Amino acid sequence: LLQVLNKQRQQVSPDQALEVMELFIHDRMDDVEQNIRPALERGNVVLLDRYYFSTIAYQGAHGLDPEMIRQRNEHFAPLPDLVLYFAMPVEAALARIERDYQAPDLFDQYYEAGESRPTAISRSIKVFERRDFLRRVKGIYDDLARRLPYFHTVDATRDEQTIAREVLQAIDQCMMGRQKAEGKRHKAKS
């Protein structure tokens, strides 16, 4: 899958984008049946750093219909109570990556003879996360955030403490809403 994704970040045909989407959907179906649904049925809180919205955004940016991808996923995947969308301008995100990236093993394979680490990181970012592609990804996420009521947009250009406070507040509000809904269901059953 990683090889397909690395190729996909370059030039992708609609058939290739569809193939990758299908791989993600099959993987997600397995994850829903094996992990997510059983945890929810036990009453657990499930936290994911990625869900089908990343497939919508990335495969949509490669030309697939985002609404079709959403419908395909929502046919089997539970809707989330909350999606935290950390939004920032593409240029700011790429600058942050170039400035702060601390995973040399990821970029070591892309070093060319005599090339410095900053040059390799910059070149790798250009290959893997092209600005035009990321703008399309961001546009799809922005559209989802406007349309879907469970999206909460967090301005990720702010300092970590401010972001953390907002995230905790959003989670608290979500959990209180869940508790109220559970209370109403219990009263209705009585």
Side-chain angles (χ1 to χ4, degrees):
L1 185 58
L2 185 58
Q3 287 176 341
V4 172
L5 292 174
N6 285 340
K7 281 184 183 177
Q8 186 188 33
R9 286 190 168 113
Q10 296 166 16
Q11 195 64 6
V12 177
S13 73
D15 287 342
Q16 290 169 319
L18 191 58
E19 177 185 353
V20 171
M21 182 199 72
E22 292 297 333
L23 290 171
F24 275 117
I25 284 177
H26 289 291
D27 182 61
R28 189 165 297 110
M29 288 173 107
D30 184 58
D31 193 32
V32 165
E33 292 311 311
Q34 299 297 316
N35 301 304
I36 297 170
R37 197 171 311 283
L40 292 173
E41 288 170 355
R42 290 189 304 269
N44 295 351
V45 172
V46 176
L47 299 174
L48 302 166
D49 65 341
R50 298 264 176 146
Y51 199 38
Y52 60 86
F53 304 102
S54 61
T55 305
I56 294 169
Y58 279 84
Q59 299 316 113
H62 280 299
L64 296 182
D65 177 19
E67 189 59 22
M68 177 272 297
I69 301 168
R70 187 176 71 81
Q71 289 173 5
R72 288 279 311 277
N73 278 274
E74 289 178 359
H75 181 71
F76 66 88
L79 289 176
D81 293 315
L82 176 66
V83 172
L84 295 169
Y85 167 43
F86 296 88
M88 68 186 325
V90 169
E91 288 73 19
L94 290 173
R96 184 179 286 178
I97 290 168
E98 286 196 55
R99 184 188 69 228
D100 296 339
Y101 212 91
Q102 297 297 316
D105 57 320
L106 176 64
F107 291 107
D108 283 346
Q109 62 185 313
Y110 300 107
Y111 276 56
E112 293 178 0
E115 185 175 43
S116 70
R117 178 175 166 72
T119 302
I121 291 172
S122 179
R123 185 174 47 75
S124 297
I125 289 169
K126 287 179 182 123
V127 169
F128 288 108
E129 303 293 357
R130 295 188 328 259
R131 280 176 171 75
D132 61 327
F133 178 73
L134 287 178
R135 285 188 188 106
R136 291 192 305 270
V137 169
K138 182 178 181 342
I140 293 169
Y141 270 120
D142 290 345
D143 180 62
L144 292 169
R146 280 189 296 273
R147 293 187 304 111
L148 302 176
Y150 42 81
F151 259 74
H152 179 89
T153 301
V154 177
D155 177 357
T157 63
R158 299 172 300 162
D159 66 276
E160 290 177 22
Q161 296 291 15
T162 302
I163 291 170
R165 277 192 302 274
E166 182 178 342
V167 166
L168 290 174
Q169 185 178 43
I171 292 170
D172 284 345
Q173 288 174 349
C174 178
M175 296 304 292
M176 287 190 310
R178 282 182 56 156
Q179 289 172 346
K180 286 179 185 177
E182 283 294 315
K184 288 179 182 178
R185 278 194 288 265
H186 282 50
K187 282 184 181 181
K189 288 181 181 179
S190 315

